[in-house]
Every structure is written in C-alpha cells, then in structure tokens.
Amino acid sequence: MIHVHHRADDSSPLTAHLDDESDTASAGAALAAALRVGLVIYLRGDLGAGKTTLVRGVLRALGHDGKVKSPTYTLIEPYLVSRLHLYHFDFYRFAVPEEYLEAGLDEYFDGNGVCLVEWPDKAAPYIAAPDLEIRLTVSGPGRRLEALALTEAGQTCIRKLDSELSRNPT
Amino acid sequence: MRVLGIESSCDETGVAVFDVEAGLLGHCVHSQIDLHATYGGVVPELASRDHIRRLPALVRQVLAESGCSLAQIDAIAYTAGPGLAGALLVGASYAEALGMSLGVPVLPVHHLEGHLLSPLLSADPPEFPFVALLVSGGHTQLMQVTGVGEYVLLGESLDDAAGEAFDKTAKLIGLGYPGGPQLARLAERGHPGRFRLPRPMLKSGDLDFSFSGLKTAVLNVVSGPEWKPEDAADLAADFQDAAVDVLCAKALKALELTGLSRLVVAGGVGANRQLRQRLDVATRRKGWRVYYPEPELCTDNGAMIAFAGARRLAAGEVPGMACAVKVHPRWPLAALRAPGAA
C-alpha cells in the first residue's frame, strides 16, 4: 500500500511511504506514466534501497517484458520500449568522474531519450543536471520515496506522478 | 598449432600460449586488483589504460615462459565480448595488429565460452554434453553445452549476478573490495540460521535466478535496530548459505531437466568452497559429477581464450576479415554457432 503525503505546494517534494518491494515497482509504474522524452532523473539511495526495482517497475509499465538487470557491471543498460529510448545507468563502480566522459556516456544525454541514473554523484560535475531527483531511504521494513523537481519539466513530471500515485494506492 | 590468447574484458589482463598437441605452454594474469583496492571498486577506464600498459610486457613474459618466439605463433585469439567496451578494444586492437604483422589468423572469442570450456584444460576433463553453471561478478547463467559453440541458455539472473550480490553484500556488511572472497572467509567463522534470509526464486519452477532481493534482505538486517557489527560473521554465513542454496538447487534441477549427468562450474564464484562442497555431495548422491577448472583458471585468464580459439580453429573455423577490430560489450552466449556452422 502506497501512502502519498499531501504536498503543501508545487515546489515542495513529493513524499510517499512504500510498504514493500511490490510498492516500489508500483511507484515505478506510476513514474512511467509521468515520463517525457528528454527527462534526466537521478535515483538516489543506498545499495538495496530499491533503485533498480523502481526502474523495473517503469519498464514493465511501458511494456518491456524482458529482463531488467542491474547495470552495475555494464554501466548502462539501454531499452527501446513503445518507441521511447530509456537508458538505465549505474555509476557505482566509477573511481573518478572522468571515466564518465572517457567511456562516452555523455552522448546518451542528448535529449532524445529518458535517462535514469543511479549513483550520479560518481559522475559529477560532468553529468547533465537532473530534472528531478528521486530518493529511496530505508524506513522500517519499507521505504520512503522522495521526489524533488529541479526544472519545470521535472515539476510537470512530479505533478503527474503525484496524481498517478494518489489515484492508484495499490 | 600454437595459439596466443589475450583476455582484457574487465579487471584482469591475461595472456597465454596453448599448443594443440602439448597443451598449455605458459600463461600469466596481471591482476589489477591492487589498483582497484585503493579506489574501492572496479574501474573501467583505468582498467583499459592498464591493459594497454601491461599487454606488451605480459606477451613477452609468457612467450619466454613458453619457450617460443612470436614467429612460432600460428594464430591469435582474443576476448571480443561481453565486457567493458574500452577494455575490450585494447585487447582487440592489440591482437588484430599483432596478427596482421605476423600474418597469422586472428579469432575473436566469447569471454563466457572461454570460461565454460576452461574445465577441458584440466587433467581430468569432462566430455560433452554437460550443463555449465557460469557464476561470476557479471554473469550468472546455466547453459546446456553439447559441443564447442553449441550452447542453449537454460536460465540466468534476472537482476544482480551472484558475484555482484557477494560483492555488494560484503560492502553492506562493511568489508573491503573485492568483498566476495572476504565475505566467504568471514562466513566460515559464522553460524548460519539466525537471520532467516530469503532463497529468491528457489521454487519459481524455472532455472532463472534473482539475487537483488537477497541483497535487500541483508540491507534490512544491517539497518535494523538490533544490528550489531559483531554479528557480521553470522550474517555472512546466512547470506552465503542462501546464495549457495539457490545456485545448487537450480544447477541440480538443470541436470534433472536435461537428463545430463555432468556439471561444469566456471567463473570466479565457482571457487567458493561452500558451493563446491555442496555440489560435490549433492551430485555424488545422484551418481552425477561436477567438474571445475584448475583453481588458477577460475577467474579471468588468457589460457581459456587461447584454448577456446584453438578448439574453434581446429574444428575448421575460418577467421573473418583481417584487422577488423570489432567488440561486443553485450553478447549473448547462445548467439554463438559451432565452428563451420552456417
């Protein structure tokens, strides 16, 4: 059961409590409905917080029925679903942020797809600024989800995400 | 025929010379683990720079060990994927250029084919057909192997690879990099059973794996109110127990479903002692057998690449265009064909 907390206004972060892993996937499905081409979304949270599970929820809702593997080893897992390019990054293994440039990964941030980025700080300051940040933190046996918009496109996304999450409190 | 093998798909730079009649003449791995330990993780581009620096010296060293000169090399095999693009390109460019200058055929080899054929290099090699369990930091797969290049994917991890789960769990427990082997050592001092970790997909009915939920269960334990760092050994033991339970159960099920009686275990996690003990006992009970590569050939190395290349060339595979440097960072093993097949 996803519990969405009421937002005071558009500029305050969206917060919700997720009871379990299936809630994290449902939150991903809600996010899928709020995606627009060109969005850059940072996913924050410790190892095991559910970042990849959230992305799996996004991809399932978009109609991807293949595997959604952790990109920790490959750095990037690209998807093409419903004519949408979705790039799932994981920079956990970067030791120095220059590797982001040397690996040519900046080429994916050209505005023609959606970029979901785990461990973005490991590629700072080179990586593109996000439209929104989603943070997952351990909260008892569940997770706390916090989404903060940093651009107008991000705000539009979060408004839609808010209404999707509130509409489907599964 | 003598084949020079070059491996550079991730951390390790590996070089070897394999002779079809005389066997493995020499091999050497320059592990980059020390470099990575100072940073706390695998470093893709640093790794590729390191491959460049180390390859020429390693080739010289292995040739000297093997007692042969470059002029006595009949073919070159290199890892063309899957792996990190930058690292793969170093090995590919080096191999293709060297092959061109020597005027010998150059063969791109699939990294996982190298791993799953590596037990054939041991003193007591398995015969085809067999089931292969590939378990490493980047891969967890069960394959049905009927011959060189004849691979059917039976199941694989839907999220984290087993080795990745070992490494990430080690990090959660507070161990250094690479944490997997350390976690296994810590587990030997612990007593499993306290933390009731899940066995993901144990009863899924198929041969797929999932290790992400297990990692999450460990996170929930270490971020819970009752967690004490002195319980780390018990938690490590519980984690290893859970991971090994699933790996064993699925490997045995694969043998059952395929009707085969030989299991090959390859990849870094294949060196895990508990996994080996459990598989040995379980297969013996059924009259089946498990084969492992020599311990030094469990992790990435050039010998397995030289060997896979030699087997393919001996079976009549014709290398493609000269000096075509093409790597495949993502490359499904089941996409390979047997040598000579259309």
Side-chain angles (χ1 to χ4, degrees), chain A residues 21 46-50 52-53 56 60 66-79 90 92-96 98-104 118-119 122 138-143, chain B residues 9-11 39-46 49 82-84 111 136-139 141 153 156-161 164 167-169 171-172 177 208 212-213 215-216 219-220 223 300 329-330:
Chain A
E21 193 178 331
D46 286 336
L47 286 179
T52 296
T53 302
R56 185 172 300 116
R60 288 275 177 273
K67 297 178 166 63
V68 178
K69 294 185 180 180
S70 157
T72 302
Y73 184 76
T74 51
L75 304 180
I76 172 180
E77 290 287 339
Y79 300 90
D90 183 341
Y92 183 67
R93 303 196 301 148
F94 279 178
V96 292
E98 284 73 19
E99 292 167 61
Y100 166 76
L101 297 178
E102 288 172 31
E118 300 187 27
W119 304 99
K122 301 232 181 191
V138 176
S139 168
R143 299 289 185 266
Chain B
S9 66
C10 191
D11 298 1
Y39 290 110
V42 180
V43 192
E45 292 304 309
L46 282 184
R49 273 187 229 125
L84 302 164
H111 178 74
S136 65
H139 310 276
Q141 298 188 335
L153 181 68
E156 64 180 324
S157 175
L158 303 179
D159 39 58
D160 296 2
E164 182 181 346
D167 283 339
K168 285 187 172 173
T169 296
K171 182 96 177 168
L172 287 172
Y177 178 87
D208 286 334
S212 168
K215 168 192 74 191
T216 302
L219 172 69
N220 289 342
S223 55
D300 294 352
R330 302 177 79 188

Side-chain angles (χ1 to χ4, degrees), chain B residues 187-239:
Chain B
E188 302 208 342
R189 301 211 311 266
H191 302 282
R194 279 178 66 183
F195 295 101
R196 296 171 190 277
L197 298 179
R199 269 62 176 161
M201 299 189 67
L202 189 62
K203 301 205 163 74
S204 63
D206 56 25
L207 296 172
D208 286 334
F209 303 87
S210 164
F211 290 103
S212 168
L214 188 51
K215 168 192 74 191
T216 302
V218 171
L219 172 69
N220 289 342
V221 170
V222 299
S223 55
E226 283 153 40
W227 170 248
K228 296 190 292 291
E230 56 264 36
D231 294 338
D234 287 349
L235 183 55
D238 258 336
F239 168 82

